[in-house]
Amino acid sequence: MAEQSGKQSDTEHLGTDLTGTEKIVPKQSLNQAGSIHRDPFIRAFLDKIPKDVASTFTDSQLLQLKMMFGTRGKASHAVDIRTVMGGFGWNYYLVFLFGRNRRDLSRTEQKVANAWRVVLLLVGSFALFSMVIISLYLLKSFAGIDLLPRFSFGFWTWLSS
C-alpha cells in the first residue's frame, strides 16, 4: 500500500469476498510497526474499559480488535444528509441516508423485503397491463373499429379534441 502523509499504513486491504466483506491482514509485524498501544483507536478503546481488563489484552488481540472495528471508514451512500437543528437550549441531529444495503438481512427483514418485492411486482404488472390495454383501445379507436355499437368510453374523443 502506498505511503500516506509520510506514515505507512499498518494494514493491507486485500479486497472483498463474495459477501462484500473486506478482508484485511497486517502489513507489518508489531515489532516493526512499534507498540500497538500508541495507536489512537487502541488508546481510546483501552481508556473506556477497566484497567485490570485492559492489561489482559495481548498485542495480537489488540491488533485483531483494531482490524475488526478500528479500520471502518465512513460508509458511502448515494444520499448522505447530516445536519444539526436546534436553539434555545435544545439541539437535535438529523441524518438521512439512502443507498444499497450491503449487510446480511435477518429472517424478518428478508420476509419484509420479499413482501415488498411481491407488492412492487404486482403494481408494476398492473401498470404495464393498463398501459397495454389503453394503447390497444387508442389504436382501435384510431383505426375506426367499433367493437361495441353505440358504446364508447369517450377517451378517444377527449384525446382527439
Side-chain angles (χ1 to χ4, degrees):
M1 202 170 217
E3 289 187 21
Q4 296 175 354
S5 36
K7 286 190 340 190
Q8 194 166 4
S9 173
D10 61 346
T11 58
E12 180 177 322
H13 299 272
L14 294 180
T16 57
D17 62 10
L18 294 176
T19 63
T21 305
E22 195 169 40
K23 297 286 185 176
I24 303 171
V25 296
K27 188 172 189 177
Q28 303 172 342
S29 73
L30 291 173
N31 293 336
Q32 294 171 336
S35 175
I36 188 74
H37 294 275
R38 288 191 294 227
D39 183 271
F41 170 78
I42 296 298
R43 281 194 316 220
F45 171 74
L46 292 175
D47 287 344
K48 293 177 184 174
I49 60 176
K51 299 291 181 203
D52 60 327
V53 176
S55 63
T56 62
F57 283 102
T58 65
D59 286 352
S60 61
Q61 288 173 329
L62 291 172
L63 182 60
Q64 290 300 317
L65 280 169
K66 179 179 184 212
M67 287 191 301
M68 286 301 297
F69 301 108
T71 56
R72 275 189 176 174
K74 183 179 172 188
S76 123
H77 296 91
V79 177
D80 187 345
I81 300 171
R82 300 167 193 249
T83 187
V84 176
M85 301 176 296
F88 304 110
W90 56 270
N91 285 314
Y92 292 96
Y93 63 92
L94 171 71
V95 177
F96 181 73
L97 302 173
F98 181 81
R100 185 171 179 263
N101 188 11
R102 295 184 183 100
R103 62 186 176 86
D104 293 331
L105 299 178
S106 69
R107 180 169 287 182
T108 304
E109 290 172 327
Q110 287 175 347
K111 287 181 182 179
V112 171
N114 288 337
W116 275 109
R117 284 186 189 116
V118 168
V119 168
L120 289 175
L121 182 65
L122 288 173
V123 168
S125 298
F126 178 74
L128 182 63
F129 178 75
S130 298
M131 287 190 294
V132 167
I133 294 297
I134 290 172
S135 298
L136 289 173
Y137 176 78
L138 290 175
L139 186 62
K140 173 204 75 81
S141 298
F142 179 73
I145 301 171
D146 192 12
L147 296 176
L148 300 172
R150 295 181 304 230
F151 178 79
S152 175
F153 288 110
F155 191 61
W156 176 253
T157 309
W158 172 75
L159 194 62
S160 60
S161 62

